Structure formats: structure tokens, C-alpha cells
DNA sequence: GTCTATATGCGGATAGAC
DNA sequence: GTCTATCCGCATATAGAC
């Protein structure tokens, strides 16, 4: 009987805690994306939530932990794409996968626009970002190899390596560059996909290139 | 007679002042590059120079002014390359121009690695960086057009625009990405040139592509 | 030009009451 | 879980003596 009550109250306890934790993480993500990690203080985050700084620190014991948990979320949101390397054999599959992963990246864009700050300020987070990026290169290489094997892509050896590298480079740095070029930047994820497809374009076999130009065109309304 | 003396002393005054100003700017550049604008305080810069904070503020009345003067230097170091668009008709010329401008960019890399912070913290500087980048795109477009006209490059219209855009994107963001991938990063400017040449590669006419692969190869010791 | 001393405020983070 | 109050340190920037 009180077992049940205990469980209930434990559940309630967790639910409430998770709710506050999530509210904090969501506000943190919003502010970090909008104003940058360096400029947004923990006090500021608490303020915007109508919450005391003490309470925020009850849930996350340092600013670094806020970054770390957001990074975990990014990692887990990207996992499906990182594991799909071998299932992508057609251009269509690859395009969809790219497009969806850019939406994830755009959601956590501060990780990329503030990467240099994170590298210096929170080395442990920097290490995670580095590892994530390195395995993204591996995934991209696998995808390109498979596209080449299935005859969609005409590239070999070093060309594939360079291509995979440039795809990840573009994915990683695009938000920084697009924010530099214009303050209002709603269309950023679409253009990232556009530019990655542009990188692939010259290596595609003729008929696939036409199809891809059709896909690319859709990003330029 | 005291006219002369007056001039002399005015000169001395300026020499001394310029020397201190330059020492400050050089140390600032070094520290900003190594640790980021957000992390390096004006007190820290003064400390490293064995100088008082008051003295530093006598020469530069705010942190923003330090950034602004370094930005001016970057702009003036890049000017020759920005104006050379129409004189580059061979691949060789373009390559050399690229290589040299990457050395300049690498020298002021903090401008690029901290661009998002600068955009938020010092909007006036952000505006300058944006304008600089936009005119770099214009220059790149001119260069690509000329290479196409002289038969080195096989590209037209939208392809040239995309290419120019990607060249500037790569130049701008390369240092951020290379720093993400490895802490020790001496070879960064070389690799930036390598990747820009890789972007051009598929659009070059046959014989030029072989020559360019030779150039690219030199970056991979 | 350069220094010492200092104003002023905000940053991250903690203690202890409720 | 949440709040109030607060510690401590460092940041930018200035005043005024030398």
C-alpha cells in the first residue's frame, strides 16, 4: 500500500524534476543559440525562466554541465544518421538523411558556432564534439563509397575521402557562415543541404546529376 | 631651430607611442588567436606585456578598439588580393594568390574562429567582417569568370556563382574546422589551399587538372 | 606615457532557510 | 525543489599621481 504510494510519489518527484530540468535545458538552448555561450550567464537563464539561480544550480551544478547535457541530446538526435551509412544506396535516401540531420544541427547550432569557445572553456565538451565530427567523417565516407559502388557516384579512393571530408566540413561550419552573411537566417538548414548537393554534383553520373539538380532547385525558392 | 627640435620631439613621441601601440596589438593578436577573444581580458594582455592596465587603456580606450584595429590590419593586408581579381588569368596566379591570402587569414585567425562572438559583442566589427566577406565573394566570382574565359575552367553561370561562394566559405571557416579536428594545427593554411583547389578540380579542363593535382600534392607532405 | 589605486558591476557558484 | 542572501573573483574602465 505505501509501496504504491512510495512509487507514485517517486514518479511524481521524477516527473516534476524532469520538467524543470527540461525547461532549463530548453531555455538554455534557445539563449545559447541566439546570443552565444560566452554572453549568456547562468543568472540570465534563471531570470528568463522566472527562477532563482540557486534553483538552476540545484539541477545543473555548473555551466559546463548545461552544455554537456545539450551535447548529449545532439549526439543522440544524430545517432540514427550516423548509423544509417550502409543503408543509403540511392541519392534519394542520402538526400533525405542529409536534410534531416541538418535540421538537427540547426537546432543545436550553438555547438558549432561557438565551437572554438567550447574547445577552450570546456575541453571535455570539446573532446566530445571532436569525436562526433570524426565519426561523421567516417559515416560520410561509408555513404560515398556505397553510392560509388551502386554506380550513382563516379569517384574513387582519394576523391571519396576528400568528398566525405568536405561534406562534413560544410555541415559543421555552415551555420557559422550563414550567420555571418545575414542576421535573419531562417533558411540556413536548407542552404546547407543545397551546398552539400553542389559538392556532390560534379561527381554524379549524368542522369543522377539531373535528378539532383532538381532536388537542389527546390531549396532555391 | 626649435622648429627642428619640435619636429624631432614630435617624431620621437610618435615613434614611442607607435611602438607601444604595436606591442599591444601584437600581444593582443597572439592571445586572441591562442585563447579566444572572450577568454582573454584586457588586464591579461597588459600583464603579459609587463604593463599596467591603465597604460593599455591610454592607448586603446576599449576592448572593442583592440579588435577594430586588428581588423583594420587584416583588411589592409588582404586588400592586394581583393584588387587582383582581373589580373589572374592562369591557374598559377590564382594558386599563389590563394596561398598568400590564406597566410594572412591564418595570421588573424581569431577573427574567423570567434566570428559569432564578435557579431554579438561588437556589432560594428561584425558589420566590417560581413562586408569584407561579401566583397571576397565578389572577387572570387571575378577570378572564376576570368579563369573560365581564358579556358582554364569549364563552368558557367550558376556554377561559377556556387564555386565562388564555396571558395570563400572554405577560406573563411577552415581555421575553425581545422582547430576542431586537432589541437596542433601548424599546417592549417596549407590545407585550406588544398581544399579550395579540390573544389576547383572537377571543373578544370583535363591538362589543367593534372597540373593542379601536382600543386595540390605539394600540400600533402 | 606610465603607474597605482580603485570604482563598479557581473560572472559562477554555494549555504541555509522554507 | 525552490528561494534568498551572499561569497569571491575577475571583467571593463577610470582618476589622478609621477
Amino acid at each position: 500500500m505505501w509501496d504504491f504510494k512510495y512509487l507514485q510519489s517517486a514518479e511524481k518527484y521524477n516527473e516534476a524534476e524532469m520538467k524543470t530540468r527540461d525547461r532549463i535545458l530548453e531555455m538554455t538552448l534557445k539563449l545559447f543559440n541566439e546570443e552565444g555561450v560566452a554572453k549568456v550567464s547562468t543568472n540570465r537563464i534563471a531570470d528568463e525562466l522566472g527562477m532563482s539561480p540557486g534553483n538552476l544550480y540545484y539541477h545543473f551544478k555548473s555551466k559546463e554541465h548545461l552544455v554537456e547535457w545539450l551535447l548529449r541530446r545532439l549526439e543522440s538526435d544524430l545517432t540514427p544518421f550516423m548509423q544509417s551509412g550502409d543503408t543509403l544506396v540511392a541519392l534519394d535516401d542520402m538526400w533525405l538523411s542529409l536534410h534531416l540531420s541538418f535540421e538537427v544541427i540547426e537546432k543545436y547550432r550553438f555547438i558549432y558556432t561557438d565551437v572554438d569557445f567550447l574547445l577552450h572553456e570546456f575541453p571535455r565538451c570539446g573532446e566530445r564534439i571532436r569525436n562526433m565530427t570524426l565519426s561523421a567523417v567516417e559515416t560520410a565516407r561509408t555513404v560515398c563509397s556505397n553510392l560509388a559502388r551502386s554506380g550513382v557516384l563516379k569517384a574513387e579512393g582519394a576523391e571519396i575521402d576528400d568528398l566525405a571530408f568536405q561534406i562534413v566540413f560544410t555541415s559543421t561550419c555552415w551555420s557559422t557562415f550563414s550567420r555571418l552573411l545575414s542576421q535573419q537566417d531562417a533558411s540556413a538548414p536548407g542552404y546547407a543541404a543545397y551546398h552539400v548537393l553542389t559538392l556532390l554534383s560534379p561527381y554524379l553520373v549524368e542522369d543522377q546529376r539531373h535528378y539532383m539538380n532538381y532536388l537542389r532547385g527546390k531549396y532555391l525558392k
Side-chain angles (χ1 to χ4, degrees), chain A:
Chain A
M1 199 164 165
W2 43 270
D3 242 345
F4 178 63
K5 199 179 167 194
Y6 174 78
L7 281 173
Q8 263 227 333
S9 110
E11 213 170 48
K12 235 186 207 158
Y13 177 95
N14 280 332
E15 259 173 21
E17 181 179 10
M18 286 314 286
K19 259 193 162 169
T20 304
R21 272 183 70 92
D22 278 355
R23 278 177 63 228
I24 294 172
L25 282 178
E26 256 154 57
M27 181 58 77
T28 304
L29 178 59
K30 177 171 176 284
L31 294 173
F32 280 1
N33 278 340
E34 285 171 358
E35 303 176 35
V37 180
K39 280 212 77 172
V40 174
S41 68
T42 51
N43 284 347
R44 169 80 189 291
I45 298 166
D47 253 29
E48 297 273 346
L49 288 163
M51 175 187 293
S52 67
N55 193 10
L56 188 147
Y57 272 89
Y58 170 81
H59 291 282
F60 296 94
K61 74 169 194 278
S62 74
K63 195 176 180 179
E64 180 164 14
H65 275 72
L66 285 166
V67 174
E68 209 176 320
W69 280 98
L70 289 171
L71 191 47
R72 276 176 211 276
R73 285 191 173 194
L74 168 62
E75 284 167 351
S76 89
D77 284 6
L78 281 182
T79 302
F81 306 109
M82 298 291 219
Q83 293 172 341
S84 65
D86 278 316
T87 70
L88 305 176
V89 286
L91 200 50
D92 244 350
D93 305 332
M94 192 216 190
W95 164 77
L96 184 60
S97 180
L98 265 181
H99 184 94
L100 294 176
S101 60
F102 283 135
E103 287 186 349
V104 174
I105 287 174
E106 186 61 17
K107 184 176 167 197
Y108 296 90
R109 72 193 101 128
F110 84 89
I111 302 267
Y112 297 97
T113 55
D114 287 347
V115 70
D116 200 63
F117 178 76
L118 297 176
L119 241 38
H120 284 110
E121 190 79 1
F122 308 125
R124 279 216 327 276
C125 292
E127 197 56 36
R128 293 183 80 120
I129 303 172
R130 174 173 299 129
N131 291 332
M132 207 174 60
T133 309
L134 290 172
S135 66
V137 174
E138 281 315 304
T139 303
R141 208 198 311 267
T142 305
V143 173
C144 290
S145 287
N146 288 340
L147 289 179
R149 233 194 310 275
S150 66
V152 171
L153 206 64
K154 235 171 60 191
E156 47 180 38
E159 282 175 332
I160 287 182
D161 290 349
D162 286 338
L163 208 45
F165 196 83
Q166 282 179 330
I167 288 172
V168 176
F169 169 54
T170 303
S171 319
T172 303
C173 296
W174 177 254
S175 48
T176 303
F177 193 65
S178 95
R179 234 146 283 270
L180 165 59
L181 288 190
S182 79
Q183 307 84 324
Q184 64 277 23
D185 36 60
S187 57
Y191 277 112
Y194 174 84
H195 283 289
V196 169
L197 295 179
T198 305
L199 287 170
L200 285 171
S201 166
Y203 296 97
L204 292 173
V205 295
E206 185 94 2
D207 58 329
Q208 296 288 319
R209 181 158 60 241
H210 291 128
Y211 176 53
M212 209 220 46
N213 281 332
Y214 160 75
L215 288 177
R216 279 171 70 214
K218 296 211 286 188
Y219 288 110
L220 307 171
K221 74 221 141 272

